[in-house]
Amino acid sequence: MRSPLNDVLRLGAAIVLALAAHANAVGQEVRILVQSSPLAGFRYYAGETLWQEMKVGDELALVREPDNEHDANAVRVQWRGHKLGYLPRAENRAVAAEMDRGAAVVARIAALIEDRNPWKRLRVDIYVVL
């Protein structure tokens, strides 16, 4: 028996693939938002000192740290070569797996919020590039 949900998922996948093919044909890339996360460790790294320079929309570098002694799925987040922190351990497994398999994964600053709680200060959007 066919499932309506499976039909919708297949249609969605077909649309995404068609958009990606069209974008590639005209020299554009397609980015699909796959995750939005807070930044772990913001108060321990360069975030506080660079706060005034960072802007929403700025590109972030994601760096895998498979040998990290605390988390084998660690993904470091950097801005202009400065370490800002990590994707939270509870939210890094899928991103780490995609990076390990060679997928193009990029990130940007989604939000900068002046809050006393360091977990709320910077939000990271993560995209898979097709």
Side-chain angles (χ1 to χ4, degrees):
M1 183 166 156
R2 288 178 54 176
S3 162
L5 178 58
N6 284 337
D7 289 343
V8 169
L9 292 174
R10 277 191 209 96
L11 178 61
I15 290 169
V16 167
L17 291 174
L19 287 172
H22 174 71
N24 286 333
V26 297
Q28 296 177 335
E29 71 180 17
V30 173
R31 293 181 178 198
I32 298 178
L33 179 65
V34 294
Q35 184 173 317
S36 188
S37 298
L39 183 68
F42 180 84
R43 65 180 164 188
Y44 300 112
Y45 302 106
E48 293 289 339
T49 58
L50 299 170
W51 178 259
Q52 295 299 322
E53 297 176 51
M54 293 185 287
K55 304 284 183 253
V56 170
D58 284 355
E59 293 288 325
L60 298 167
L62 299 176
V63 181
R64 271 291 280 127
E65 289 186 3
D67 297 326
N68 184 297
E69 64 182 287
H70 303 290
D71 183 4
N73 293 311
V75 178
R76 183 174 70 235
V77 178
Q78 295 184 169
W79 178 79
R80 297 184 182 170
H82 300 279
K83 182 178 182 178
L84 297 179
Y86 290 86
L87 294 183
R89 184 181 311 215
E91 300 178 17
N92 67 5
R93 181 172 285 151
V95 174
E98 285 300 301
M99 292 176 76
D100 290 347
R101 74 175 192 84
V105 181
V106 297
R108 71 174 184 85
I109 296 175
L112 294 165
I113 302 166
E114 295 205 29
D115 195 292
R116 292 176 61 170
N117 182 343
W119 276 89
K120 295 180 180 180
R121 305 260 348 244
L122 194 150
R123 190 149 203 74
V124 179
D125 278 352
I126 301 155
Y127 301 85
V128 171
V129 181
L130 301 179

